[in-house]
Amino acid sequence: MLKNDLILRAARGEKTERTPVWLMRQAGRILPEYRAVRNSLSGFKELVETPELAAEVTIQPVDLLGVDAAIIFSDILVIPEAMGLTYEMVEKKGPHFPKTVKATSDIDALKVADPADLGYVYEAIQITKKELSGRVPLIGFAGAPWTIFSYMIEGGGSKTFSQARRLLYSEPAMADRLLDMITESTIGYLKQQVQAGADMLQVFDSWAGVLPPEHYSRFSLKYISKICDAITEVPITVFAKGAWWALSEMNDLKCRTVGLDWNMNPQEAREILPNKTLQGNLDPCALYGSNDLIKEETKKMLAAFGDHPHIANLGHGVYPDTDPDKVKYFIQSVKELSAH
């Protein structure tokens, strides 16, 4: 039994005694305790692939920051890896794929991921669940197919994603084939996360904002929709960064919650998505401000969501050089200002 199920009740659209709060990237570089674990290893990937340690850093923000949910420490790129395309994490630069998908023959060499290949993630979930012993829910996650596709084509992050976007125009059938494989891989993976104990799931579409609206519907939302249709066991949150114009289409997704980035207007989102819980959306840079400013901005954010079902969060991941005390102050402010 969960002692604190605020976030699950909010996701279901129920009234809660206060607004639940957690942060994207809460388990990570802002915490010295995380850095201590991370520095004892060869690198990020070893941490992701060592269940006991992944569980330890997943729980740190629950203990240290007082968040209302834990999110399993992992990476969205475990899916391409399980499909046969390995990645490496380059210090200070981010993910890099030594080999990318350039032609149909490269897709022929890939497979739909066998959920069994990602056993280390489920094991980390099981350990975390046991150690949390019902204090807060645990969120599982995956990348949206379009975002994963972008990395597999580009080989890393990009300002324009012109290689990945070019394919949508020049080889749409090839793009669909790869997107289908990613989607199928992701559904199997998320279902196993739920079986291992994840209480809710989030789909991260980090590169949603680079697509024109028509392509976003056709090559991203279509596949996110398949994921939402396939998973009925737990509430799902869809966070599509930069896709403000797609909010009305998200009404049709079978997800419970829609995440807003800091450029999106909560008042507008409430009108467009009357039946969804909304998540977000404080600007992560507000946490560089004074405590008074953080409190003021938090108050404004809460007022903008009003009495609409809401899960407080930042409008993107917390930035690595943010002072953990400021993060803690934001979390306390949400709790204090939203209690009724």
Side-chain angles (χ1 to χ4, degrees), residues 3 16-17 26 58 66 91 117 133 142 242 323 336:
K3 298 180 189 70
T16 50
E17 47 278 24
Q26 63 188 17
T58 298
E91 210 39 60
D117 294 341
S133 64
D323 177 348
E336 187 189 310

Side-chain angles (χ1 to χ4, degrees), residues 216 221 238 240 243 246-253 255 258 273 276:
Y216 190 65
L221 272 188
V238 172
L247 287 180
S248 57
E249 278 186 81
M250 291 184 187
N251 239 343
D252 301 329
L253 292 177
C255 66
V258 172
L273 297 161
K276 301 282 188 210

Side-chain angles (χ1 to χ4, degrees), residues 38-53:
R38 166 82 171 68
N39 292 341
S40 67
L41 303 168
S42 64
F44 173 85
K45 277 186 86 171
E46 191 187 344
L47 180 46
V48 167
E49 290 163 15
T50 311
E52 295 75 17
L53 296 178

Side-chain angles (χ1 to χ4, degrees), residues 213-269:
E214 206 174 303
H215 271 179
Y216 190 65
S217 302
R218 162 85 175 73
F219 294 104
S220 185
L221 272 188
K222 176 176 136 190
Y223 293 99
I224 291 175
S225 188
K226 284 184 180 175
I227 294 171
C228 295
D229 288 349
I231 292 164
T232 51
E233 301 88 334
V234 298
I236 298 188
T237 301
V238 172
F239 175 67
K241 187 172 184 307
W244 51 269
W245 28 257
L247 287 180
S248 57
E249 278 186 81
M250 291 184 187
N251 239 343
D252 301 329
L253 292 177
K254 288 196 177 122
C255 66
R256 284 295 323 144
T257 302
V258 172
L260 306 181
D261 67 40
W262 73 89
N263 293 318
M264 294 178 185
N265 180 326
Q267 282 102 330
E268 269 173 40

Side-chain angles (χ1 to χ4, degrees), residues 137-201:
L138 177 62
I139 303 169
F141 72 92
W146 156 251
T147 288
I148 300 296
F149 173 95
S150 307
Y151 280 113
M152 292 171 85
I153 304 292
E154 298 278 346
S158 160
K159 282 200 169 74
T160 58
F161 288 96
S162 57
Q163 298 303 312
R165 299 210 310 107
R166 169 192 190 165
L167 261 190
L168 307 184
Y169 287 101
S170 61
E171 301 276 357
M174 177 181 157
D176 275 324
R177 187 179 160 209
L178 182 54
L179 285 162
D180 259 323
M181 289 174 75
I182 297 167
T183 303
E184 212 178 313
S185 302
T186 304
I187 289 170
Y189 174 52
L190 288 173
K191 281 192 172 288
Q192 282 295 126
Q193 288 190 41
V194 173
Q195 276 199 296
D199 298 291
M200 68 191 296
L201 299 170

Side-chain angles (χ1 to χ4, degrees), residues 10-13 256-258 273 275-279 308-311:
R12 292 194 295 261
R256 284 295 323 144
T257 302
V258 172
L273 297 161
N275 304 316
K276 301 282 188 210
T277 297
L278 298 173
Q279 178 175 279
H308 194 97
H310 177 217
I311 295 166

